[in-house]
Amino acid sequence: MLDFITSVAREAGAVLRSGFRGDRQLNYKNRTELVTDMDLASERLIVSRIAEHFPEHQIVTEEGGGRDQRSRWVWVIDPLDGTNNYAHGVPFYCVSIALLVDDQLELGVVYDPTHDECFTATAGDKAQVNGQPLRISAINDLRHGYLTTGYAYDRWSGEPNNLPETTAMMLECQSLRCMGSAALDLCYVAAGRSDGYWELHLSPWDGAAGALIVQQAGGKVTNVGGGAFSPWQPDLLASNGLLHASILQVLARSGTEQR
Ligand code: IPD
Ligand code: CA
Ligand code: CA
């Protein structure tokens, strides 16, 4: 199963890479939310491969090309995470695929075509990148922490827009970045490149695969109030575990606790 879906993610990633910085057809889903012809091409490829192998499985995708049938097996797919980067020629984007069985995360694959890095995890096994074990960071002081976050496309429409949280965190940690790909943000926590990542308004396909990869690398994933993480809920905090309590504290102080 993992080999199959890894090769599908790599195949879709190769499609994205081949179209990178080419002439793009851009459409706006709303005021700021972009979709390109390559999001759709990648999604078609992934859905057709999964549907062919597992005709009884449900497939949930960002661009709506999935299969709406009830099943214990639910694939959750972002065919291009980091669309904004991709559309602007910024090489930080990926393919993200998760599988839930009976609503439990069973498998996650995130493929970064630019760096040819394939992050993988299955429940109960150590997370890997290109077959090598991933290890989270050992930073235990928020003042030395390198964190990332992101913002919903419709942030102008009201709270929560993550702006108070950003201001508060900026003053507490060493670096705070907005990289533009939630799935890779999570994989970078799993790889020990970053020490924590949070976001308030994710969709299931943004965080599902990466959350399992963080957990199986030894990191911690909760919602931003410190409660249990669910891919079906919009907020998420992932960290190396050591900084989790300090990050929660800063987020709470800045307003997250009121939600
Ligand atoms: C977005 C990216 C971004 C995050 C947004 C997501 P998309 O997904 O993951 O980093 O901040 O919340 O919607 O639109 O590039 O697939
Ligand atoms: Ca996404
Ligand atoms: Ca996407």
Side-chain angles (χ1 to χ4, degrees):
M1 179 81 90
L2 184 64
D3 287 349
F4 160 73
I5 204 62
T6 298
S7 81
V8 172
R10 283 183 169 277
E11 198 184 349
V15 169
L16 296 176
R17 190 169 47 220
S18 71
F20 185 61
R21 293 185 181 149
D23 288 339
R24 286 280 63 76
Q25 254 175 37
L26 302 182
N27 285 304
Y28 281 88
K29 298 193 222 178
N30 55 41
R31 187 172 123 181
T32 52
E33 190 167 1
L34 266 174
V35 59
T36 74
D37 48 338
M38 299 307 283
D39 296 67
L40 303 174
S42 172
E43 181 167 306
R44 276 195 299 271
L45 187 149
I46 299 166
V47 171
S48 74
R49 295 284 184 273
I50 294 175
E52 194 185 328
H53 267 72
F54 304 109
E56 72 282 13
H57 292 187
Q58 187 180 348
I59 309 177
V60 177
T61 65
E62 175 163 19
E63 309 308 338
R67 261 146 107 258
D68 194 14
Q69 59 189 24
R70 293 206 64 77
S71 166
R72 293 178 57 209
W73 304 75
V74 182
W75 294 91
V76 181
I77 296 163
D78 194 336
L80 168 49
D81 186 54
T83 291
N84 241 299
N85 285 343
Y86 188 87
H88 288 85
V90 176
F92 196 78
Y93 63 90
C94 64
V95 174
S96 175
I97 305 176
L99 174 66
L100 285 88
V101 183
D102 295 329
D103 213 31
Q104 296 302 308
L105 276 168
E106 181 64 30
L107 175 162
V109 175
V110 174
Y111 180 57
D112 170 357
T114 308
H115 303 100
D116 188 28
E117 287 192 317
C118 194
F119 299 88
T120 54
T122 50
D125 289 321
K126 196 92 184 89
Q128 300 188 332
V129 57
N130 293 348
Q132 299 303 310
L134 284 166
R135 197 171 314 134
I136 50 154
S137 76
I139 299 282
N140 60 8
D141 182 339
L142 188 54
R143 288 173 303 180
H144 303 149
Y146 179 110
L147 306 185
T148 66
T149 190
Y151 305 88
Y153 285 99
D154 68 347
R155 60 193 165 274
W156 71 87
S157 67
E159 296 283 338
N161 59 15
N162 204 19
L163 299 183
E165 288 81 358
T166 297
T167 310
M169 195 63 78
M170 210 42 124
L171 300 173
E172 300 288 345
C173 66
Q174 186 176 66
S175 312
L176 178 59
R177 306 276 188 255
C178 176
M179 315 281 268
S181 164
L184 283 179
D185 282 316
L186 286 161
C187 292
Y188 276 35
V189 174
R193 298 172 191 170
S194 123
D195 309 308
Y197 158 73
W198 85 91
E199 203 161 327
L200 304 183
H201 247 289
L202 292 172
S203 297
W205 41 81
D206 295 316
L212 182 65
I213 293 168
V214 171
Q215 285 165 344
Q216 298 309 121
K220 185 163 180 174
V221 184
T222 64
N223 63 27
V224 294
F229 163 75
S230 159
W232 309 108
Q233 301 295 318
D235 58 309
L236 172 162
L237 166 62
S239 81
N240 64 3
L242 301 170
L243 293 186
H244 215 82
S246 332
I247 298 172
L248 282 172
Q249 238 173 38
V250 176
L251 295 178
R253 223 177 46 220
S254 64
T256 291
E257 69 189 344
Q258 274 117 52
R259 282 190 280 279

